[in-house]
Amino acid sequence: MRISTSQIYDAGSLNIQRNQASLFKIQNQLSTGRRVLTPEDDPVAAAQALLVTQAKEMNTQQTTNQGNAESQLGLVDSQLSSLVDLIQNVRDRVIQAGNSTLSASDRQSIATELEARFGELLGIANAQNGSGDYLFSGYQGATKPFAINASLSVVPPATTAPVGYYGDDGERLLQVSSSRVMPVNVAGSDVFMSVKQGNGTFFATTGGAVDVVTGNPVLDPVTGDPVINQGAATVDSGSVRDLQKWQKTFNEYSWADPSQPGFQIRFTSATTYQLYDLGDPATPLLAVDASYTPGTAIPLVTSGGDDFGAQVVVQGQPKAGDTFEIQPSTNQSLYQTMQSLIGILKSPVGSASYTTSQYSNDLGRQLANLDRALDNVSTVQATVGTRLRELESLGETASDLNLQYQTTLSDLQDLDYAEAISNFTMQLTFLEAAQKSFAQISGLSLFNYL
């Protein structure tokens, strides 16, 4: 085969360029520390590295979300801790107010302090984060969740909600892992508004004086207002002996007035009582009056064999016609409880229209509501604490995942320096040989021999 001089030059130049390109590639690998610089270097590894990189970036974003969630929940937890301290302080003052030796001015001083606590409570409820969003407004981060109603009343019992809620029940969610979306706020309705009265199942309260025979309320001859209990008996918050029986009562019992389910304990004398359906004060549920002993539990049972699974304890000496009512718990906001306490403490105690026993009953009832509010806040705070612990665990998992992704990427992309240096030396030898041989061949000519 005849090879022309131009072919020799072209082939030599091409081989030198190829060796230079190979040497340049190895040099780039050595300088970057990566084996796969372009997909053509290793298509399979490049494709796998792309997937791992995307997963790693997603994990990084989720780690950032975990930090944001921890910050938000930390603020909520801090405010809830302040709320617990506030309620405990109010509780201490309410217990102090139950001391019968306190004067009207003493009670007024406590009421004034509770008014200040009311303002502090409102401040906690309207707390904001660093971005200006309200912590307890649900989805409505820009909406101030709580505001005082213009028709605020402090006359017990409180009939007007002192504070309105203008947020919603929504939860702001953050994706904190591939399989976990976490709420980073608590709705104000759950913390401040949805508090069950009494013992959480039912509440007991004074019902006022009634005619022992007819059951009709006794009215004040001057004002025409219902007369309160005239004896010295007080009732506790009660307890549920059998929750299943209590629930069955309100599912199956035929109430005289379905809109007013509940029971009335009516003292027919200082030592006997009768049980009535609250909506039917003329039909007794016991065949004969039951005997009353102060401090002994009064079970909610009928002579017909119905057991409603609950009981209350009455202390002190009642008068004939005094009544106590037991009704299923409904929601009462923490603001309403505070409002009622302030009104009770400001009322003149010791008069016929507001006796010492009535004061004790009202104070005891609101103290039970305060305890329920404290339990509710503690439950919410426990939920927030659980989320914070979960975030800590997720953070550790994310850190482990990030290390795993880095290891996988290193296996797919990183350079084996020993092998690369060996290849670099060998490729450099190839290039030098090609250049030297080309120089020698290009120097050959017949004119040198003529």
Side-chain angles (χ1 to χ4, degrees):
M1 182 179 66
R2 179 179 294 178
I3 299 176
S4 66
T5 301
S6 63
Q7 285 179 304
I8 293 175
Y9 274 83
D10 290 342
S13 176
L14 181 61
N15 287 331
I16 290 173
Q17 290 177 354
R18 285 176 178 172
N19 286 321
Q20 286 177 331
S22 298
L23 190 64
F24 177 72
K25 176 181 176 181
I26 297 174
Q27 185 182 26
N28 281 341
Q29 290 176 331
L30 288 169
S31 63
T32 60
R34 294 181 59 181
R35 179 181 63 87
V36 180
L37 298 175
T38 62
E40 69 175 351
D41 295 336
D42 189 336
V44 175
Q48 292 178 338
L50 178 61
L51 294 176
V52 174
T53 300
Q54 290 175 339
K56 183 174 179 294
E57 290 176 352
M58 183 177 296
N59 185 62
T60 301
Q61 181 59 56
Q62 290 166 355
T63 301
T64 302
N65 289 351
Q66 290 168 14
N68 293 336
E70 186 174 3
S71 176
Q72 292 289 328
L73 290 172
L75 287 173
V76 173
D77 185 60
S78 176
Q79 294 300 321
L80 291 177
S81 295
S82 298
L83 180 58
V84 168
D85 292 341
L86 184 148
I87 295 175
Q88 288 175 337
N89 182 273
V90 171
R91 188 178 187 279
D92 291 342
R93 293 295 175 267
V94 172
I95 292 174
Q96 179 185 356
N99 189 336
S100 59
T101 62
L102 293 183
S103 64
S105 61
D106 293 332
R107 290 191 293 272
Q108 178 63 46
S109 297
I110 296 175
T112 301
E113 181 178 351
L114 293 192
E115 287 177 335
R117 295 297 181 185
F118 189 99
E120 184 181 345
L121 173 63
L122 199 61
I124 292 174
N126 286 327
Q128 296 171 277
N129 60 22
S131 302
D133 292 330
Y134 291 94
L135 298 179
F136 299 107
S137 61
Y139 285 132
Q140 312 299 322
T143 301
K144 190 175 184 179
F146 295 95
I148 296 177
N149 288 335
S151 56
L152 176 63
S153 170
V154 293
V155 179
T159 56
T160 302
V163 172
Y165 179 58
Y166 302 98
D168 57 32
D169 298 332
E171 293 181 325
R172 305 167 205 169
L173 305 176
L174 271 181
Q175 184 87 34
V176 293
S177 76
S178 58
S179 58
R180 180 71 167 101
V181 177
M182 179 175 290
V184 296
N185 73 308
V186 177
S189 56
D190 293 335
V191 181
F192 301 93
M193 309 300 286
S194 303
V195 183
K196 291 292 186 181
Q197 296 184 68
N199 57 30
T201 303
F202 65 87
F203 68 92
T205 183
T206 55
V210 300
D211 185 280
V212 174
V213 178
T214 65
N216 295 326
V218 177
L219 303 180
D220 186 289
V222 177
T223 64
D225 296 329
V227 175
I228 62 175
N229 287 2
Q230 296 301 299
T234 59
V235 64
D236 70 351
S237 57
S239 60
V240 177
R241 295 181 291 103
D242 189 323
L243 183 59
Q244 185 175 4
K245 289 181 178 179
W246 177 261
Q247 292 173 338
K248 182 180 179 181
T249 296
F250 289 90
N251 290 332
E252 300 180 7
Y253 190 75
S254 298
W255 297 101
D257 184 356
S259 65
Q260 193 178 17
F263 302 96
Q264 181 191 77
I265 298 172
R266 184 188 307 168
F267 287 93
T268 52
S269 71
T271 57
T272 58
Y273 69 89
Q274 182 58 257
L275 185 66
Y276 289 87
D277 181 332
L278 192 58
D280 185 7
T283 306
L285 299 178
L286 301 176
V288 295
D289 293 351
S291 177
Y292 164 71
T293 302
T296 302
I298 296 178
L300 302 183
V301 296
T302 70
S303 298
D306 292 324
D307 183 352
F308 304 116
Q311 65 184 29
V312 296
V313 175
V314 177
Q315 298 277 4
Q317 197 65 51
K319 285 189 176 181
D322 285 353
T323 63
F324 293 101
E325 296 178 356
I326 295 93
Q327 301 177 55
S329 294
T330 56
N331 288 337
Q332 174 171 299
S333 74
L334 182 53
Y335 302 105
Q336 287 175 299
T337 299
M338 291 285 289
Q339 177 194 24
S340 296
L341 285 169
I342 293 169
I344 292 168
L345 292 170
K346 286 186 174 183
S347 299
V349 180
S351 63
S353 60
Y354 200 62
T355 62
T356 302
S357 60
Q358 184 67 38
Y359 170 79
S360 298
N361 276 295
D362 288 343
L363 206 62
R365 178 185 172 190
Q366 298 308 323
L367 180 61
N369 292 338
L370 205 60
D371 287 339
R372 289 297 304 170
L374 184 60
D375 291 342
N376 181 65
V377 175
S378 298
T379 300
V380 174
Q381 191 174 28
T383 301
V384 172
T386 300
R387 294 176 189 172
L388 287 170
R389 287 196 298 270
E390 183 181 356
L391 283 173
E392 183 179 353
S393 177
L394 288 173
E396 294 174 356
T397 302
S399 179
D400 293 340
L401 275 176
N402 191 60
L403 180 60
Q404 180 181 345
Y405 289 143
Q406 289 177 337
T407 301
T408 303
L409 285 175
S410 178
D411 293 339
L412 291 171
Q413 296 179 322
D414 287 357
L415 185 67
D416 183 341
Y417 273 93
E419 180 183 359
I421 292 173
S422 176
N423 290 337
F424 179 82
T425 303
M426 182 176 63
Q427 196 64 48
L428 185 61
T429 301
F430 291 161
L431 178 59
E432 290 175 346
Q435 290 174 336
K436 188 173 182 179
S437 61
F438 179 75
Q440 291 179 347
I441 292 174
S442 63
L444 295 177
S445 174
L446 287 176
F447 294 102
N448 294 333
Y449 301 97
L450 294 178

